[in-house]
Amino acid sequence: MPFLASLKRFASIRDGQSPDYELGNFEKALQLLKEAEPIARAHSDSALLMLVLNNRALVLQRMGDQREVQRLFEELLAHSRANGDLHRIGIALHNLALVLESRGDYTRARQFGEEALAGWRELGDRLWEANTLGLLANILASTNQLSEAVTHAQ
């Protein structure tokens, strides 16, 4: 498929805007994202690659494949660190914490969440800071650390 046609197809699924994704056709959305990944890699477009990895992880999360979701977020984190993209690092850390929490790995979830929180505070991103504080409160509540959870939630 020619490069521009491939990018046009990918544009339809960017940020969850694919009609297939919206209609619950996750297999088709996943197929389109798999086609987009080698395009991003071949053109050394790190922003596009990170977007593809993130969206693949989100589709797989909806499909219930938590192990592959975790692997993709770990890959996204590595790419984000290599590129020095602090915002994407924070998103990857936050998302890894969510996946680990859902898998019952509260210790590692908390570590990733706290690292994300430090990054959001360094960047001054109050929205993501609040979001991550809520995540940390949930993690702490799940481990019966209720007083600390209340502190994070406030």
Side-chain angles (χ1 to χ4, degrees):
M1 177 179 291
F3 176 67
L4 291 178
S6 297
L7 282 181
K8 185 176 178 183
R9 262 183 102 187
F10 173 69
S12 72
I13 56 174
R14 181 179 53 230
D15 296 329
Q17 299 301 313
S18 167
D20 294 309
Y21 182 82
E22 291 171 6
L23 294 173
N25 188 348
F26 302 125
E27 293 293 337
K28 179 67 172 172
L30 190 58
Q31 175 191 343
L32 293 170
L33 286 161
K34 284 181 178 179
E35 291 174 17
E37 186 175 343
I39 295 167
R41 289 185 191 279
H43 293 278
S44 301
D45 188 334
S46 62
L48 179 59
L49 178 60
M50 288 187 283
L51 183 63
V52 169
L53 293 174
N54 188 68
N55 285 347
R56 265 187 64 203
L58 294 175
V59 171
L60 286 166
Q61 192 166 34
R62 296 283 302 269
M63 295 172 72
D65 189 349
Q66 296 302 316
R67 186 170 306 202
E68 181 64 6
V69 170
Q70 181 178 339
R71 188 196 69 73
L72 287 167
F73 282 140
E74 288 170 348
E75 185 177 348
L76 179 62
L77 178 59
H79 282 287
S80 300
R81 287 190 197 279
N83 290 311
D85 187 333
L86 298 180
H87 192 260
R88 288 198 189 269
I89 291 169
I91 291 171
L93 288 166
H94 182 94
N95 288 340
L96 272 168
L98 282 170
V99 170
L100 291 166
E101 177 196 24
S102 74
R103 297 184 72 191
D105 188 346
Y106 300 114
T107 301
R108 288 184 58 215
R110 183 175 179 181
Q111 291 168 349
F112 282 119
E114 287 176 349
E115 188 178 346
L117 180 62
W120 299 130
R121 287 180 171 162
E122 182 181 331
L123 288 171
D125 191 323
R126 303 284 290 158
L127 179 63
W128 272 104
E129 179 182 349
N131 194 3
T132 304
L133 282 168
L135 169 61
L136 285 168
N138 287 338
I139 293 167
L140 291 165
S142 295
T143 58
N144 292 320
Q145 298 176 50
L146 300 179
S147 63
E148 199 172 345
V150 170
T151 300
H152 277 295
Q154 294 176 341

